[in-house]
Amino acid sequence: MSKIVTGAEAAARIADNAVVSVSSSSGLGCPDAVLKAIGARFRAEGHPRNLTTLHPIAAGDMYGIKGVDHIAQDGLLSTIIAGSYPSGPSTLPMPAIWHMVVDNRVAAYNVPSGILFDMHRDVAARRPGVLTKVGLETFVDPELQGCAMNDRAAQAPIVSRVEFAGDTWLHFPNIVPDVTILRATTADEHGNLTYEHEGAYLGGLDQAIAARNHRGLVIAQVKRVTANGSLRPHDVHVPGHLVDLIVVDPDQKQTTETQYDPAISGEVMRPWSSFALAEHGVEKVIARRAAMELKRGQTANLGFGISAMVPRILLEEGHAQAVTWAIEQGAVGGMPLTGFAFGCASNADAFMPSPNQFTYFQGGGFDVSFLSFLEVDVQGNVNVSKLGKKPYLTAGCGGFVDITSHARKIVFSGYFEAAAGLELTDTGLIVTKPGKFTKMVAEVEHVTFAGRRALRTGQEVVYITERCVMRLTDTGLEAYEIMPGIDAERDIVQASEGRVRVAADATTLPLSLLGAGPMGLKL
């Protein structure tokens, strides 16, 4: 009996009250055709109802791949547990899933991506749930929000603090998926899956095993089907005995606004000269200072925002391959991409499954992580996961909490104030107009990174802005390097309402950060 079905036929196999696990990372690897079919069936039939969905990384985006928005319908979706959510600028309409979250129409949780992958592995092996220190003293901790994004979720906790072997842990009980939906490039008639046009494996294999080990249903969306026996065994990432149904979508995009780029999937290697350099401006200055924290031969993790520019700084300085980059979607080495292709890399050395990459991150195996911030408070806490006024401007925590929990060194980058007037010259950076508000706050809205815990555990933490470089001390944030042109008292102390002090031995950053040409970085 053929496993090949239409999207509608696959959607018809999903029962009411099912737990559905979806493999995706925004537009990358999103099984959009299957999610669309589920939404269409509900509108036509009123089924399936009351789904709980698991998304280790976001499904869909705000730029043409709807993903989770296909199923963001009252009655269809009752609970969503996600590492991240679709996000974008305030100039675009708020996604349907965010309307459901803020209106309390769905129980919504933001669980670190790595923990969600761990949950699939533990439920597959029939272990008693995830026991982890990832997220202690952050919003993940039940002493704060316990991952709940709204009141409906807060009424049904999914994490608890427990004592085990003389220590404190977070415990996430098992949530068993009845259905897993994943995506690949090619399926043979038996359901063996290869990923030759994909930019990452993500976690589809682990998610499929979790459903299969509990007699669940596994649906694979692919671009094409080939005959049995025509796939090389070494190329098969998900074996056919784990796959029940195959839905073919020949038009599936490789990632957002990219139909297919062979460099993203590692089929060709781009000349290093073909990558665009970072555009000259204030953000590039911040990224340049961040790059100064690197040493040749290190392995560095990379997050979204200003931090994503750091590899382009190394490229301009002639050090494109001096550092091995590792990103949560699974790429290792090469050049991490920016914009719509963020999460992918060209010229990668390898693609790791995301669950394995997160095991590496959670254990702190890398040398340094480059991440961005929305706001920092006097305790050194960082928020990247919640903005009450414009919630969809952030995707949530994603892998941020997994990465920072045991990282040896973390470099945070961002603006000191929001919407300040800034003039960049070869001799200095001048604040021409105060910002709307400081990002150095008394207390962050959401604790995505716990500063005091970092101090206790000996993590090295650096905060880089356009005005200064700060470190966290027992007495608060201290600026120890000042950007040329900045008036330390006015632009740092007063602008932060006294929440940042300037070190007595503070130095001035080099003018080489400011120029239009290479800065002469040595690694």
Side-chain angles (χ1 to χ4, degrees), residues 8 86 195 213 222 303 347 367 388 399 422 464 495 502:
Y195 281 64
N213 283 8
V222 297
N347 299 0
D367 296 293
L422 301 170
I464 300 176
V502 177

Side-chain angles (χ1 to χ4, degrees), residues 445-484:
E445 185 175 356
H446 222 216
V447 180
T448 331
F449 170 77
R452 291 298 169 186
R453 181 175 175 82
L455 275 180
R456 292 199 310 272
T457 58
Q459 291 177 294
E460 182 182 356
V461 186
V462 178
Y463 308 83
I464 300 176
T465 74
E466 80 285 3
R467 304 183 189 193
C468 60
V469 181
M470 297 170 286
R471 58 193 165 209
L472 180 62
T473 71
D474 290 333
T475 54
L477 294 172
E478 180 180 75
Y480 64 96
E481 293 179 354
I482 312 300
M483 192 68 67

Side-chain angles (χ1 to χ4, degrees), residues 200-444:
Y201 294 125
L202 302 178
L205 175 59
D206 286 47
Q207 291 166 267
I209 294 172
R212 169 59 71 246
N213 283 8
H214 291 270
R215 305 296 184 265
L217 177 73
V218 178
I219 303 168
Q221 179 184 309
V222 297
K223 182 186 290 188
R224 58 198 183 187
V225 174
T226 190
N228 280 336
S230 61
L231 298 176
R232 291 179 67 248
H234 279 290
D235 295 337
V236 174
H237 182 65
V238 179
H241 71 284
L242 300 178
V243 177
D244 297 293
L245 304 175
I246 302 165
V247 175
V248 181
D249 177 14
D251 297 321
Q252 67 183 26
K253 290 183 178 180
Q254 190 179 45
T255 187
T256 304
E257 297 204 348
T258 302
Q259 194 66 41
Y260 170 58
D261 177 354
I264 285 177
S265 47
E267 295 170 279
V268 301
M269 299 287 282
R270 286 175 55 179
W272 291 101
S273 60
S274 69
F275 295 100
L277 300 178
E279 183 179 349
H280 186 60
V282 175
E283 291 190 358
K284 183 175 183 177
V285 171
I286 298 171
R288 278 176 165 172
R289 176 57 188 85
M292 291 170 62
E293 297 293 321
L294 284 164
K295 296 178 181 177
R296 182 173 295 274
Q298 287 185 326
T299 298
N301 163 259
L302 194 68
F304 191 64
I306 294 174
S307 297
M309 299 173 67
V310 176
R312 305 302 171 115
I313 302 299
L314 297 196
L315 176 67
E316 184 176 14
E317 300 295 327
H319 306 305
Q321 296 175 275
V323 169
T324 299
W325 301 103
I327 54 180
E328 63 188 63
Q329 287 77 6
V332 177
M335 177 59 67
L337 302 181
T338 56
F340 292 126
F342 181 78
C344 302
S346 292
N347 299 0
D349 298 326
F351 295 107
M352 290 177 63
S354 289
N356 299 90
Q357 189 80 299
F358 273 107
T359 298
Y360 175 64
F361 290 160
Q362 288 177 349
F366 54 97
D367 296 293
V368 58
S369 181
F370 292 88
L371 300 166
S372 300
F373 67 79
L374 292 175
E375 55 182 4
V376 182
D377 71 17
V378 294
Q379 302 292 320
N381 298 321
V382 172
N383 174 24
V384 300
S385 48
K386 184 180 180 182
L387 284 174
K389 294 180 180 179
K390 293 283 185 178
Y392 64 102
L393 295 185
T394 171
C397 69
F400 187 100
V401 180
D402 304 283
I403 291 162
T404 56
S405 287
H406 294 106
R408 304 173 212 175
K409 180 175 181 177
I410 309 164
V411 179
F412 292 115
S413 297
Y415 281 99
F416 199 90
E417 287 186 311
L422 301 170
E423 181 182 349
L424 179 62
T425 72
D426 288 342
T427 58
L429 191 150
I430 312 300
V431 179
T432 59
K433 183 183 71 172
K436 294 181 178 178
F437 53 86
T438 179
K439 294 193 173 187
M440 306 297 120
V441 298
E443 184 177 349
V444 294

